[in-house]
Amino acid sequence: MVTTIPIRFLQIENEGYHLLIKIKINRKVAFAIVDTGASRSVFDSNQIVKYLKNENVVEHDKLSTGLGTNSMKSSIVVLKHLVLGDLQLKNFESVLLDLTHVNETYRMLGFPEIVGVIGGDILFQYQSNIDYKNGILKLRS
């Protein structure tokens, strides 16, 4: 089965584009960025609380790298229900990072805040294809 998700291309001044998609976490609509260079999907430790039900957040002793920083503290959360298009992921384990700097930039540019970044773990597992011409992310389950 192939699910298709519309992509909104956000032009970041003259720097290029970010790919914004709608997702659902525990049946609540949220926005996420698709990042083919991110090794795994991460969610904002500040924004995610709006979407959690009874999930527990566990501190992580590893430091995460990327997203414009050398290292940052991270936590782990298991999201009971993560939906991308028609693809439903149950009990999805993910890393939480502080993405405040991303959301501050988005606010300045008039873009919606994001709850997370969809990275290589999901994109690889579901054999993603980005159709830039038609603005569609395809995932295969």
Side-chain angles (χ1 to χ4, degrees):
M1 181 177 105
V2 176
T3 187
T4 59
I5 304 164
I7 298 171
R8 178 177 165 197
F9 296 101
L10 305 178
Q11 186 168 11
I12 309 298
E13 298 174 338
N14 294 322
E15 301 293 318
Y17 295 87
H18 285 187
L19 286 60
L20 184 76
I21 62 170
K22 279 187 187 178
I23 64 172
K24 287 186 182 177
I25 301 171
N26 294 334
R27 296 178 174 71
K28 294 180 184 176
V29 173
F31 291 100
I33 294 299
V34 175
D35 186 347
T36 61
S39 59
R40 92 181 270 191
S41 301
V42 299
F43 292 89
D44 183 18
S45 55
N46 301 301
Q47 294 287 328
I48 197 70
V49 296
K50 300 174 191 173
Y51 302 89
L52 299 182
K53 290 183 178 179
N54 298 320
E55 289 92 339
N56 291 321
V57 175
V58 179
E59 284 289 322
H60 199 285
D61 30 345
K62 291 183 184 175
L63 292 177
S64 295
T65 59
L67 292 165
T69 66
N70 289 333
S71 62
M72 58 178 77
K73 289 186 179 182
S74 63
S75 302
I76 298 288
V77 68
V78 177
L79 301 174
K80 292 192 186 316
H81 201 239
L82 174 62
V83 177
L84 296 97
D86 294 328
L87 179 64
Q88 298 191 29
L89 306 177
K90 305 245 185 228
N91 299 315
F92 181 75
E93 182 177 289
S94 187
V95 174
L96 298 180
L97 298 175
D98 184 351
L99 301 180
T100 300
H101 62 290
V102 175
N103 278 318
E104 286 174 352
T105 300
Y106 275 26
R107 275 192 296 278
M108 287 178 12
L109 295 171
F111 298 150
E113 291 184 342
I114 62 164
V115 71
V117 175
I118 304 302
D121 53 348
I122 290 175
L123 299 175
F124 180 80
Q125 181 175 352
Y126 295 100
Q127 296 301 289
S128 69
N129 181 291
I130 299 171
D131 180 343
Y132 286 90
K133 181 179 179 182
N134 295 304
I136 295 172
L137 170 66
K138 295 178 184 177
L139 300 172
R140 289 167 186 75
S141 55

mmCIF file with all atom_site columns, all heavy atoms in Angstrom, residues 70-90:
data_model
loop_
_atom_site.group_PDB
_atom_site.id
_atom_site.type_symbol
_atom_site.label_atom_id
_atom_site.label_alt_id
_atom_site.label_comp_id
_atom_site.label_asym_id
_atom_site.label_entity_id
_atom_site.label_seq_id
_atom_site.pdbx_PDB_ins_code
_atom_site.Cartn_x
_atom_site.Cartn_y
_atom_site.Cartn_z
_atom_site.occupancy
_atom_site.B_iso_or_equiv
_atom_site.pdbx_formal_charge
_atom_site.auth_seq_id
_atom_site.auth_comp_id
_atom_site.auth_asym_id
_atom_site.auth_atom_id
_atom_site.pdbx_PDB_model_num
ATOM 1   N N   . ASN A 1 70 ? 26.226 21.364 18.181 1.00 0.00 ? 70 ASN A N   1
ATOM 2   C CA  . ASN A 1 70 ? 27.207 20.296 18.340 1.00 0.00 ? 70 ASN A CA  1
ATOM 3   C C   . ASN A 1 70 ? 26.626 19.132 19.125 1.00 0.00 ? 70 ASN A C   1
ATOM 4   O O   . ASN A 1 70 ? 26.811 17.988 18.780 1.00 0.00 ? 70 ASN A O   1
ATOM 5   C CB  . ASN A 1 70 ? 28.459 20.817 19.044 1.00 0.00 ? 70 ASN A CB  1
ATOM 6   C CG  . ASN A 1 70 ? 29.241 21.736 18.135 1.00 0.00 ? 70 ASN A CG  1
ATOM 7   O OD1 . ASN A 1 70 ? 29.169 21.598 16.931 1.00 0.00 ? 70 ASN A OD1 1
ATOM 8   N ND2 . ASN A 1 70 ? 29.955 22.679 18.705 1.00 0.00 ? 70 ASN A ND2 1
ATOM 9   N N   . SER A 1 71 ? 25.964 19.418 20.224 1.00 0.00 ? 71 SER A N   1
ATOM 10  C CA  . SER A 1 71 ? 25.347 18.351 21.002 1.00 0.00 ? 71 SER A CA  1
ATOM 11  C C   . SER A 1 71 ? 24.273 18.945 21.894 1.00 0.00 ? 71 SER A C   1
ATOM 12  O O   . SER A 1 71 ? 24.330 20.110 22.270 1.00 0.00 ? 71 SER A O   1
ATOM 13  C CB  . SER A 1 71 ? 26.390 17.624 21.846 1.00 0.00 ? 71 SER A CB  1
ATOM 14  O OG  . SER A 1 71 ? 26.981 18.510 22.763 1.00 0.00 ? 71 SER A OG  1
ATOM 15  N N   . MET A 1 72 ? 23.279 18.128 22.208 1.00 0.00 ? 72 MET A N   1
ATOM 16  C CA  . MET A 1 72 ? 22.205 18.581 23.075 1.00 0.00 ? 72 MET A CA  1
ATOM 17  C C   . MET A 1 72 ? 21.644 17.388 23.829 1.00 0.00 ? 72 MET A C   1
ATOM 18  O O   . MET A 1 72 ? 21.728 16.258 23.365 1.00 0.00 ? 72 MET A O   1
ATOM 19  C CB  . MET A 1 72 ? 21.104 19.293 22.277 1.00 0.00 ? 72 MET A CB  1
ATOM 20  C CG  . MET A 1 72 ? 20.481 18.469 21.182 1.00 0.00 ? 72 MET A CG  1
ATOM 21  S SD  . MET A 1 72 ? 19.158 19.318 20.294 1.00 0.00 ? 72 MET A SD  1
ATOM 22  C CE  . MET A 1 72 ? 20.071 20.414 19.257 1.00 0.00 ? 72 MET A CE  1
ATOM 23  N N   . LYS A 1 73 ? 21.083 17.674 25.003 1.00 0.00 ? 73 LYS A N   1
ATOM 24  C CA  . LYS A 1 73 ? 20.472 16.619 25.793 1.00 0.00 ? 73 LYS A CA  1
ATOM 25  C C   . LYS A 1 73 ? 19.210 16.140 25.100 1.00 0.00 ? 73 LYS A C   1
ATOM 26  O O   . LYS A 1 73 ? 18.506 16.911 24.460 1.00 0.00 ? 73 LYS A O   1
ATOM 27  C CB  . LYS A 1 73 ? 20.134 17.131 27.190 1.00 0.00 ? 73 LYS A CB  1
ATOM 28  C CG  . LYS A 1 73 ? 21.353 17.372 28.044 1.00 0.00 ? 73 LYS A CG  1
ATOM 29  C CD  . LYS A 1 73 ? 20.959 17.746 29.451 1.00 0.00 ? 73 LYS A CD  1
ATOM 30  C CE  . LYS A 1 73 ? 22.224 17.954 30.269 1.00 0.00 ? 73 LYS A CE  1
ATOM 31  N NZ  . LYS A 1 73 ? 21.922 18.282 31.647 1.00 0.00 ? 73 LYS A NZ  1
ATOM 32  N N   . SER A 1 74 ? 18.942 14.863 25.271 1.00 0.00 ? 74 SER A N   1
ATOM 33  C CA  . SER A 1 74 ? 17.747 14.305 24.647 1.00 0.00 ? 74 SER A CA  1
ATOM 34  C C   . SER A 1 74 ? 17.013 13.406 25.610 1.00 0.00 ? 74 SER A C   1
ATOM 35  O O   . SER A 1 74 ? 17.552 12.982 26.630 1.00 0.00 ? 74 SER A O   1
ATOM 36  C CB  . SER A 1 74 ? 18.126 13.531 23.381 1.00 0.00 ? 74 SER A CB  1
ATOM 37  O OG  . SER A 1 74 ? 18.947 12.435 23.694 1.00 0.00 ? 74 SER A OG  1
ATOM 38  N N   . SER A 1 75 ? 15.768 13.138 25.285 1.00 0.00 ? 75 SER A N   1
ATOM 39  C CA  . SER A 1 75 ? 14.921 12.225 26.034 1.00 0.00 ? 75 SER A CA  1
ATOM 40  C C   . SER A 1 75 ? 14.286 11.273 25.034 1.00 0.00 ? 75 SER A C   1
ATOM 41  O O   . SER A 1 75 ? 14.324 11.495 23.833 1.00 0.00 ? 75 SER A O   1
ATOM 42  C CB  . SER A 1 75 ? 13.814 12.987 26.776 1.00 0.00 ? 75 SER A CB  1
ATOM 43  O OG  . SER A 1 75 ? 14.360 13.945 27.647 1.00 0.00 ? 75 SER A OG  1
ATOM 44  N N   . ILE A 1 76 ? 13.674 10.218 25.568 1.00 0.00 ? 76 ILE A N   1
ATOM 45  C CA  . ILE A 1 76 ? 12.991 9.229  24.733 1.00 0.00 ? 76 ILE A CA  1
ATOM 46  C C   . ILE A 1 76 ? 11.512 9.233  25.106 1.00 0.00 ? 76 ILE A C   1
ATOM 47  O O   . ILE A 1 76 ? 11.159 9.342  26.280 1.00 0.00 ? 76 ILE A O   1
ATOM 48  C CB  . ILE A 1 76 ? 13.561 7.811  24.983 1.00 0.00 ? 76 ILE A CB  1
ATOM 49  C CG1 . ILE A 1 76 ? 15.042 7.736  24.606 1.00 0.00 ? 76 ILE A CG1 1
ATOM 50  C CG2 . ILE A 1 76 ? 12.764 6.751  24.237 1.00 0.00 ? 76 ILE A CG2 1
ATOM 51  C CD1 . ILE A 1 76 ? 15.327 7.771  23.137 1.00 0.00 ? 76 ILE A CD1 1
ATOM 52  N N   . VAL A 1 77 ? 10.653 9.095  24.099 1.00 0.00 ? 77 VAL A N   1
ATOM 53  C CA  . VAL A 1 77 ? 9.217  8.964  24.326 1.00 0.00 ? 77 VAL A CA  1
ATOM 54  C C   . VAL A 1 77 ? 8.685  7.897  23.368 1.00 0.00 ? 77 VAL A C   1
ATOM 55  O O   . VAL A 1 77 ? 9.212  7.730  22.265 1.00 0.00 ? 77 VAL A O   1
ATOM 56  C CB  . VAL A 1 77 ? 8.467  10.308 24.120 1.00 0.00 ? 77 VAL A CB  1
ATOM 57  C CG1 . VAL A 1 77 ? 8.481  10.732 22.667 1.00 0.00 ? 77 VAL A CG1 1
ATOM 58  C CG2 . VAL A 1 77 ? 7.051  10.245 24.654 1.00 0.00 ? 77 VAL A CG2 1
ATOM 59  N N   . VAL A 1 78 ? 7.685  7.167  23.806 1.00 0.00 ? 78 VAL A N   1
ATOM 60  C CA  . VAL A 1 78 ? 6.994  6.234  22.935 1.00 0.00 ? 78 VAL A CA  1
ATOM 61  C C   . VAL A 1 78 ? 5.627  6.841  22.647 1.00 0.00 ? 78 VAL A C   1
ATOM 62  O O   . VAL A 1 78 ? 4.803  6.975  23.552 1.00 0.00 ? 78 VAL A O   1
ATOM 63  C CB  . VAL A 1 78 ? 6.858  4.831  23.579 1.00 0.00 ? 78 VAL A CB  1
ATOM 64  C CG1 . VAL A 1 78 ? 6.057  3.911  22.660 1.00 0.00 ? 78 VAL A CG1 1
ATOM 65  C CG2 . VAL A 1 78 ? 8.234  4.242  23.861 1.00 0.00 ? 78 VAL A CG2 1
ATOM 66  N N   . LEU A 1 79 ? 5.421  7.249  21.391 1.00 0.00 ? 79 LEU A N   1
ATOM 67  C CA  . LEU A 1 79 ? 4.153  7.850  20.982 1.00 0.00 ? 79 LEU A CA  1
ATOM 68  C C   . LEU A 1 79 ? 3.148  6.734  20.694 1.00 0.00 ? 79 LEU A C   1
ATOM 69  O O   . LEU A 1 79 ? 3.413  5.873  19.853 1.00 0.00 ? 79 LEU A O   1
ATOM 70  C CB  . LEU A 1 79 ? 4.343  8.721  19.740 1.00 0.00 ? 79 LEU A CB  1
ATOM 71  C CG  . LEU A 1 79 ? 5.341  9.878  19.895 1.00 0.00 ? 79 LEU A CG  1
ATOM 72  C CD1 . LEU A 1 79 ? 5.552  10.567 18.560 1.00 0.00 ? 79 LEU A CD1 1
ATOM 73  C CD2 . LEU A 1 79 ? 4.861  10.851 20.956 1.00 0.00 ? 79 LEU A CD2 1
ATOM 74  N N   . LYS A 1 80 ? 2.044  6.749  21.382 1.00 0.00 ? 80 LYS A N   1
ATOM 75  C CA  . LYS A 1 80 ? 1.055  5.680  21.232 1.00 0.00 ? 80 LYS A CA  1
ATOM 76  C C   . LYS A 1 80 ? 0.493  5.604  19.816 1.00 0.00 ? 80 LYS A C   1
ATOM 77  O O   . LYS A 1 80 ? 0.254  4.524  19.303 1.00 0.00 ? 80 LYS A O   1
ATOM 78  C CB  . LYS A 1 80 ? -0.076 5.871  22.239 1.00 0.00 ? 80 LYS A CB  1
ATOM 79  C CG  . LYS A 1 80 ? 0.371  5.664  23.679 1.00 0.00 ? 80 LYS A CG  1
ATOM 80  C CD  . LYS A 1 80 ? -0.799 5.564  24.606 1.00 0.00 ? 80 LYS A CD  1
ATOM 81  C CE  . LYS A 1 80 ? -0.416 5.499  26.056 1.00 0.00 ? 80 LYS A CE  1
ATOM 82  N NZ  . LYS A 1 80 ? 0.660  4.643  26.424 1.00 0.00 ? 80 LYS A NZ  1
ATOM 83  N N   . HIS A 1 81 ? 0.321  6.759  19.173 1.00 0.00 ? 81 HIS A N   1
ATOM 84  C CA  . HIS A 1 81 ? -0.338 6.757  17.863 1.00 0.00 ? 81 HIS A CA  1
ATOM 85  C C   . HIS A 1 81 ? 0.221  7.898  17.010 1.00 0.00 ? 81 HIS A C   1
ATOM 86  O O   . HIS A 1 81 ? -0.059 9.059  17.266 1.00 0.00 ? 81 HIS A O   1
ATOM 87  C CB  . HIS A 1 81 ? -1.848 6.941  18.093 1.00 0.00 ? 81 HIS A CB  1
ATOM 88  C CG  . HIS A 1 81 ? -2.689 6.485  16.964 1.00 0.00 ? 81 HIS A CG  1
ATOM 89  N ND1 . HIS A 1 81 ? -3.542 7.329  16.305 1.00 0.00 ? 81 HIS A ND1 1
ATOM 90  C CD2 . HIS A 1 81 ? -2.816 5.286  16.363 1.00 0.00 ? 81 HIS A CD2 1
ATOM 91  C CE1 . HIS A 1 81 ? -4.166 6.658  15.356 1.00 0.00 ? 81 HIS A CE1 1
ATOM 92  N NE2 . HIS A 1 81 ? -3.745 5.422  15.362 1.00 0.00 ? 81 HIS A NE2 1
ATOM 93  N N   . LEU A 1 82 ? 1.018  7.559  16.005 1.00 0.00 ? 82 LEU A N   1
ATOM 94  C CA  . LEU A 1 82 ? 1.589  8.525  15.073 1.00 0.00 ? 82 LEU A CA  1
ATOM 95  C C   . LEU A 1 82 ? 1.060  8.190  13.683 1.00 0.00 ? 82 LEU A C   1
ATOM 96  O O   . LEU A 1 82 ? 1.165  7.049  13.228 1.00 0.00 ? 82 LEU A O   1
ATOM 97  C CB  . LEU A 1 82 ? 3.117  8.455  15.090 1.00 0.00 ? 82 LEU A CB  1
ATOM 98  C CG  . LEU A 1 82 ? 3.867  9.308  14.077 1.00 0.00 ? 82 LEU A CG  1
ATOM 99  C CD1 . LEU A 1 82 ? 3.607  10.796 14.290 1.00 0.00 ? 82 LEU A CD1 1
ATOM 100 C CD2 . LEU A 1 82 ? 5.368  9.014  14.151 1.00 0.00 ? 82 LEU A CD2 1
ATOM 101 N N   . VAL A 1 83 ? 0.454  9.184  13.004 1.00 0.00 ? 83 VAL A N   1
ATOM 102 C CA  . VAL A 1 83 ? -0.148 8.945  11.696 1.00 0.00 ? 83 VAL A CA  1
ATOM 103 C C   . VAL A 1 83 ? 0.467  9.885  10.667 1.00 0.00 ? 83 VAL A C   1
ATOM 104 O O   . VAL A 1 83 ? 0.535  11.097 10.884 1.00 0.00 ? 83 VAL A O   1
ATOM 105 C CB  . VAL A 1 83 ? -1.686 9.154  11.745 1.00 0.00 ? 83 VAL A CB  1
ATOM 106 C CG1 . VAL A 1 83 ? -2.291 8.968  10.358 1.00 0.00 ? 83 VAL A CG1 1
ATOM 107 C CG2 . VAL A 1 83 ? -2.320 8.207  12.749 1.00 0.00 ? 83 VAL A CG2 1
ATOM 108 N N   . LEU A 1 84 ? 0.906  9.309  9.554  1.00 0.00 ? 84 LEU A N   1
ATOM 109 C CA  . LEU A 1 84 ? 1.422  10.052 8.407  1.00 0.00 ? 84 LEU A CA  1
ATOM 110 C C   . LEU A 1 84 ? 0.595  9.613  7.212  1.00 0.00 ? 84 LEU A C   1
ATOM 111 O O   . LEU A 1 84 ? 0.723  8.482  6.748  1.00 0.00 ? 84 LEU A O   1
ATOM 112 C CB  . LEU A 1 84 ? 2.896  9.731  8.166  1.00 0.00 ? 84 LEU A CB  1
ATOM 113 C CG  . LEU A 1 84 ? 3.838  10.140 9.288  1.00 0.00 ? 84 LEU A CG  1
ATOM 114 C CD1 . LEU A 1 84 ? 4.125  8.966  10.193 1.00 0.00 ? 84 LEU A CD1 1
ATOM 115 C CD2 . LEU A 1 84 ? 5.119  10.676 8.724  1.00 0.00 ? 84 LEU A CD2 1
ATOM 116 N N   . GLY A 1 85 ? -0.293 10.481 6.735  1.00 0.00 ? 85 GLY A N   1
ATOM 117 C CA  . GLY A 1 85 ? -1.210 10.083 5.661  1.00 0.00 ? 85 GLY A CA  1
ATOM 118 C C   . GLY A 1 85 ? -2.080 8.940  6.155  1.00 0.00 ? 85 GLY A C   1
ATOM 119 O O   . GLY A 1 85 ? -2.728 9.041  7.187  1.00 0.00 ? 85 GLY A O   1
ATOM 120 N N   . ASP A 1 86 ? -2.056 7.815  5.427  1.00 0.00 ? 86 ASP A N   1
ATOM 121 C CA  . ASP A 1 86 ? -2.809 6.626  5.836  1.00 0.00 ? 86 ASP A CA  1
ATOM 122 C C   . ASP A 1 86 ? -1.957 5.653  6.646  1.00 0.00 ? 86 ASP A C   1
ATOM 123 O O   . ASP A 1 86 ? -2.451 4.620  7.089  1.00 0.00 ? 86 ASP A O   1
ATOM 124 C CB  . ASP A 1 86 ? -3.354 5.891  4.605  1.00 0.00 ? 86 ASP A CB  1
ATOM 125 C CG  . ASP A 1 86 ? -4.395 6.702  3.858  1.00 0.00 ? 86 ASP A CG  1
ATOM 126 O OD1 . ASP A 1 86 ? -5.135 7.468  4.505  1.00 0.00 ? 86 ASP A OD1 1
ATOM 127 O OD2 . ASP A 1 86 ? -4.470 6.575  2.616  1.00 0.00 ? 86 ASP A OD2 1
ATOM 128 N N   . LEU A 1 87 ? -0.677 5.972  6.820  1.00 0.00 ? 87 LEU A N   1
ATOM 129 C CA  . LEU A 1 87 ? 0.236  5.105  7.558  1.00 0.00 ? 87 LEU A CA  1
ATOM 130 C C   . LEU A 1 87 ? 0.087  5.366  9.055  1.00 0.00 ? 87 LEU A C   1
ATOM 131 O O   . LEU A 1 87 ? 0.272  6.489  9.523  1.00 0.00 ? 87 LEU A O   1
ATOM 132 C CB  . LEU A 1 87 ? 1.680  5.378  7.121  1.00 0.00 ? 87 LEU A CB  1
ATOM 133 C CG  . LEU A 1 87 ? 2.771  4.578  7.816  1.00 0.00 ? 87 LEU A CG  1
ATOM 134 C CD1 . LEU A 1 87 ? 2.628  3.093  7.520  1.00 0.00 ? 87 LEU A CD1 1
ATOM 135 C CD2 . LEU A 1 87 ? 4.134  5.087  7.387  1.00 0.00 ? 87 LEU A CD2 1
ATOM 136 N N   . GLN A 1 88 ? -0.270 4.316  9.794  1.00 0.00 ? 88 GLN A N   1
ATOM 137 C CA  . GLN A 1 88 ? -0.460 4.443  11.242 1.00 0.00 ? 88 GLN A CA  1
ATOM 138 C C   . GLN A 1 88 ? 0.637  3.675  11.966 1.00 0.00 ? 88 GLN A C   1
ATOM 139 O O   . GLN A 1 88 ? 0.786  2.472  11.770 1.00 0.00 ? 88 GLN A O   1
ATOM 140 C CB  . GLN A 1 88 ? -1.832 3.908  11.638 1.00 0.00 ? 88 GLN A CB  1
ATOM 141 C CG  . GLN A 1 88 ? -2.946 4.704  10.986 1.00 0.00 ? 88 GLN A CG  1
ATOM 142 C CD  . GLN A 1 88 ? -4.303 4.378  11.564 1.00 0.00 ? 88 GLN A CD  1
ATOM 143 O OE1 . GLN A 1 88 ? -4.420 4.009  12.716 1.00 0.00 ? 88 GLN A OE1 1
ATOM 144 N NE2 . GLN A 1 88 ? -5.333 4.537  10.758 1.00 0.00 ? 88 GLN A NE2 1
ATOM 145 N N   . LEU A 1 89 ? 1.394  4.394  12.781 1.00 0.00 ? 89 LEU A N   1
ATOM 146 C CA  . LEU A 1 89 ? 2.474  3.797  13.552 1.00 0.00 ? 89 LEU A CA  1
ATOM 147 C C   . LEU A 1 89 ? 2.052  3.767  15.017 1.00 0.00 ? 89 LEU A C   1
ATOM 148 O O   . LEU A 1 89 ? 1.743  4.803  15.601 1.00 0.00 ? 89 LEU A O   1
ATOM 149 C CB  . LEU A 1 89 ? 3.767  4.603  13.384 1.00 0.00 ? 89 LEU A CB  1
ATOM 150 C CG  . LEU A 1 89 ? 4.210  4.845  11.935 1.00 0.00 ? 89 LEU A CG  1
ATOM 151 C CD1 . LEU A 1 89 ? 5.452  5.708  11.899 1.00 0.00 ? 89 LEU A CD1 1
ATOM 152 C CD2 . LEU A 1 89 ? 4.439  3.528  11.223 1.00 0.00 ? 89 LEU A CD2 1
ATOM 153 N N   . LYS A 1 90 ? 2.033  2.587  15.585 1.00 0.00 ? 90 LYS A N   1
ATOM 154 C CA  . LYS A 1 90 ? 1.640  2.439  16.983 1.00 0.00 ? 90 LYS A CA  1
ATOM 155 C C   . LYS A 1 90 ? 2.899  2.268  17.833 1.00 0.00 ? 90 LYS A C   1
ATOM 156 O O   . LYS A 1 90 ? 3.848  1.609  17.428 1.00 0.00 ? 90 LYS A O   1
ATOM 157 C CB  . LYS A 1 90 ? 0.739  1.220  17.154 1.00 0.00 ? 90 LYS A CB  1
ATOM 158 C CG  . LYS A 1 90 ? -0.477 1.260  16.254 1.00 0.00 ? 90 LYS A CG  1
ATOM 159 C CD  . LYS A 1 90 ? -1.722 1.353  17.047 1.00 0.00 ? 90 LYS A CD  1
ATOM 160 C CE  . LYS A 1 90 ? -2.899 1.259  16.104 1.00 0.00 ? 90 LYS A CE  1
ATOM 161 N NZ  . LYS A 1 90 ? -3.884 2.231  16.300 1.00 0.00 ? 90 LYS A NZ  1
#
